[in-house]
PDB file of all heavy atoms in Angstrom:
ATOM      1  N   TYR A 278      -6.614  17.233 -37.981  1.00  0.00           N
ATOM      2  CA  TYR A 278      -5.797  17.958 -37.005  1.00  0.00           C
ATOM      3  C   TYR A 278      -6.686  17.997 -35.682  1.00  0.00           C
ATOM      4  O   TYR A 278      -6.219  17.780 -34.537  1.00  0.00           O
ATOM      5  CB  TYR A 278      -5.464  19.293 -37.446  1.00  0.00           C
ATOM      6  CG  TYR A 278      -4.820  20.183 -36.435  1.00  0.00           C
ATOM      7  CD1 TYR A 278      -3.404  19.897 -36.064  1.00  0.00           C
ATOM      8  CD2 TYR A 278      -5.548  21.090 -35.684  1.00  0.00           C
ATOM      9  CE1 TYR A 278      -2.758  20.692 -35.017  1.00  0.00           C
ATOM     10  CE2 TYR A 278      -4.842  21.792 -34.741  1.00  0.00           C
ATOM     11  CZ  TYR A 278      -3.511  21.636 -34.531  1.00  0.00           C
ATOM     12  OH  TYR A 278      -2.883  22.443 -33.480  1.00  0.00           O
ATOM     13  N   ILE A 279      -8.015  18.356 -35.875  1.00  0.00           N
ATOM     14  CA  ILE A 279      -8.890  18.477 -34.707  1.00  0.00           C
ATOM     15  C   ILE A 279      -8.952  16.991 -33.985  1.00  0.00           C
ATOM     16  O   ILE A 279      -9.000  17.014 -32.849  1.00  0.00           O
ATOM     17  CB  ILE A 279     -10.346  18.882 -35.188  1.00  0.00           C
ATOM     18  CG1 ILE A 279     -10.204  20.289 -35.687  1.00  0.00           C
ATOM     19  CG2 ILE A 279     -11.377  18.793 -34.037  1.00  0.00           C
ATOM     20  CD1 ILE A 279     -11.616  20.872 -36.290  1.00  0.00           C
ATOM     21  N   LEU A 280      -9.051  16.028 -34.858  1.00  0.00           N
ATOM     22  CA  LEU A 280      -9.137  14.572 -34.222  1.00  0.00           C
ATOM     23  C   LEU A 280      -7.874  14.405 -33.427  1.00  0.00           C
ATOM     24  O   LEU A 280      -7.933  13.715 -32.341  1.00  0.00           O
ATOM     25  CB  LEU A 280      -9.383  13.615 -35.295  1.00  0.00           C
ATOM     26  CG  LEU A 280      -9.487  12.076 -34.898  1.00  0.00           C
ATOM     27  CD1 LEU A 280     -10.641  11.978 -33.914  1.00  0.00           C
ATOM     28  CD2 LEU A 280      -9.508  11.191 -36.021  1.00  0.00           C
ATOM     29  N   VAL A 281      -6.774  14.713 -33.903  1.00  0.00           N
ATOM     30  CA  VAL A 281      -5.542  14.468 -33.265  1.00  0.00           C
ATOM     31  C   VAL A 281      -5.445  15.234 -32.038  1.00  0.00           C
ATOM     32  O   VAL A 281      -5.082  14.702 -30.892  1.00  0.00           O
ATOM     33  CB  VAL A 281      -4.317  14.901 -34.075  1.00  0.00           C
ATOM     34  CG1 VAL A 281      -3.018  14.917 -33.363  1.00  0.00           C
ATOM     35  CG2 VAL A 281      -4.242  14.008 -35.380  1.00  0.00           C
ATOM     36  N   MET A 282      -5.906  16.568 -31.945  1.00  0.00           N
ATOM     37  CA  MET A 282      -5.912  17.314 -30.725  1.00  0.00           C
ATOM     38  C   MET A 282      -6.870  16.803 -29.737  1.00  0.00           C
ATOM     39  O   MET A 282      -6.623  16.767 -28.513  1.00  0.00           O
ATOM     40  CB  MET A 282      -6.417  18.767 -31.121  1.00  0.00           C
ATOM     41  CG  MET A 282      -5.312  19.556 -31.824  1.00  0.00           C
ATOM     42  SD  MET A 282      -3.776  19.669 -31.036  1.00  0.00           S
ATOM     43  CE  MET A 282      -4.171  20.463 -29.502  1.00  0.00           C
ATOM     44  N   ILE A 283      -8.051  16.332 -30.192  1.00  0.00           N
ATOM     45  CA  ILE A 283      -9.079  15.645 -29.242  1.00  0.00           C
ATOM     46  C   ILE A 283      -8.370  14.425 -28.563  1.00  0.00           C
ATOM     47  O   ILE A 283      -8.525  14.238 -27.355  1.00  0.00           O
ATOM     48  CB  ILE A 283     -10.236  15.264 -29.924  1.00  0.00           C
ATOM     49  CG1 ILE A 283     -11.066  16.552 -30.403  1.00  0.00           C
ATOM     50  CG2 ILE A 283     -11.255  14.400 -28.973  1.00  0.00           C
ATOM     51  CD1 ILE A 283     -12.350  16.292 -31.186  1.00  0.00           C
ATOM     52  N   ASN A 284      -7.688  13.607 -29.432  1.00  0.00           N
ATOM     53  CA  ASN A 284      -7.065  12.323 -28.837  1.00  0.00           C
ATOM     54  C   ASN A 284      -5.898  12.732 -27.873  1.00  0.00           C
ATOM     55  O   ASN A 284      -5.786  12.179 -26.777  1.00  0.00           O
ATOM     56  CB  ASN A 284      -6.372  11.596 -30.059  1.00  0.00           C
ATOM     57  CG  ASN A 284      -7.381  10.964 -30.785  1.00  0.00           C
ATOM     58  OD1 ASN A 284      -8.504  10.621 -30.473  1.00  0.00           O
ATOM     59  ND2 ASN A 284      -7.002  10.570 -32.063  1.00  0.00           N
ATOM     60  N   VAL A 285      -5.148  13.862 -28.134  1.00  0.00           N
ATOM     61  CA  VAL A 285      -4.076  14.299 -27.263  1.00  0.00           C
ATOM     62  C   VAL A 285      -4.762  14.810 -25.815  1.00  0.00           C
ATOM     63  O   VAL A 285      -4.192  14.343 -24.807  1.00  0.00           O
ATOM     64  CB  VAL A 285      -3.337  15.421 -27.902  1.00  0.00           C
ATOM     65  CG1 VAL A 285      -2.299  16.068 -26.898  1.00  0.00           C
ATOM     66  CG2 VAL A 285      -2.481  14.795 -29.020  1.00  0.00           C
ATOM     67  N   MET A 286      -5.782  15.593 -25.933  1.00  0.00           N
ATOM     68  CA  MET A 286      -6.368  16.001 -24.703  1.00  0.00           C
ATOM     69  C   MET A 286      -7.171  14.905 -23.951  1.00  0.00           C
ATOM     70  O   MET A 286      -6.939  14.903 -22.681  1.00  0.00           O
ATOM     71  CB  MET A 286      -7.419  17.177 -25.114  1.00  0.00           C
ATOM     72  CG  MET A 286      -6.833  18.337 -25.693  1.00  0.00           C
ATOM     73  SD  MET A 286      -5.635  19.218 -24.517  1.00  0.00           S
ATOM     74  CE  MET A 286      -6.751  19.478 -23.042  1.00  0.00           C
ATOM     75  N   PHE A 287      -7.600  14.033 -24.716  1.00  0.00           N
ATOM     76  CA  PHE A 287      -8.275  12.956 -23.940  1.00  0.00           C
ATOM     77  C   PHE A 287      -7.208  12.193 -23.249  1.00  0.00           C
ATOM     78  O   PHE A 287      -7.346  11.731 -22.081  1.00  0.00           O
ATOM     79  CB  PHE A 287      -9.110  11.937 -24.961  1.00  0.00           C
ATOM     80  CG  PHE A 287      -9.617  10.740 -24.363  1.00  0.00           C
ATOM     81  CD1 PHE A 287     -10.715  10.681 -23.655  1.00  0.00           C
ATOM     82  CD2 PHE A 287      -8.826   9.529 -24.395  1.00  0.00           C
ATOM     83  CE1 PHE A 287     -11.280   9.635 -23.024  1.00  0.00           C
ATOM     84  CE2 PHE A 287      -9.263   8.413 -23.879  1.00  0.00           C
ATOM     85  CZ  PHE A 287     -10.607   8.465 -23.163  1.00  0.00           C
ATOM     86  N   GLY A 288      -6.143  11.735 -23.909  1.00  0.00           N
ATOM     87  CA  GLY A 288      -5.065  11.041 -23.232  1.00  0.00           C
ATOM     88  C   GLY A 288      -4.391  11.720 -22.136  1.00  0.00           C
ATOM     89  O   GLY A 288      -4.080  11.199 -20.988  1.00  0.00           O
ATOM     90  N   PHE A 289      -4.244  13.040 -22.285  1.00  0.00           N
ATOM     91  CA  PHE A 289      -3.588  13.799 -21.172  1.00  0.00           C
ATOM     92  C   PHE A 289      -4.511  13.847 -19.972  1.00  0.00           C
ATOM     93  O   PHE A 289      -4.029  13.660 -18.892  1.00  0.00           O
ATOM     94  CB  PHE A 289      -3.340  15.219 -21.740  1.00  0.00           C
ATOM     95  CG  PHE A 289      -2.840  16.220 -20.658  1.00  0.00           C
ATOM     96  CD1 PHE A 289      -1.491  16.190 -20.215  1.00  0.00           C
ATOM     97  CD2 PHE A 289      -3.741  17.120 -20.117  1.00  0.00           C
ATOM     98  CE1 PHE A 289      -1.082  17.001 -19.393  1.00  0.00           C
ATOM     99  CE2 PHE A 289      -3.241  17.946 -19.081  1.00  0.00           C
ATOM    100  CZ  PHE A 289      -1.946  17.947 -18.781  1.00  0.00           C
ATOM    101  N   LEU A 290      -5.824  14.212 -20.177  1.00  0.00           N
ATOM    102  CA  LEU A 290      -6.659  14.256 -19.077  1.00  0.00           C
ATOM    103  C   LEU A 290      -6.917  12.946 -18.335  1.00  0.00           C
ATOM    104  O   LEU A 290      -6.927  12.791 -17.175  1.00  0.00           O
ATOM    105  CB  LEU A 290      -7.993  14.758 -19.454  1.00  0.00           C
ATOM    106  CG  LEU A 290      -8.039  16.382 -19.840  1.00  0.00           C
ATOM    107  CD1 LEU A 290      -9.368  16.698 -20.454  1.00  0.00           C
ATOM    108  CD2 LEU A 290      -7.676  17.170 -18.678  1.00  0.00           C
TER     109      LEU A 290
END
Side-chain angles (χ1 to χ4, degrees):
Y278 178 76
I279 295 177
L280 180 61
V281 169
M282 290 302 299
I283 292 175
N284 289 338
V285 171
M286 291 302 300
F287 175 83
F289 173 79
L290 291 175

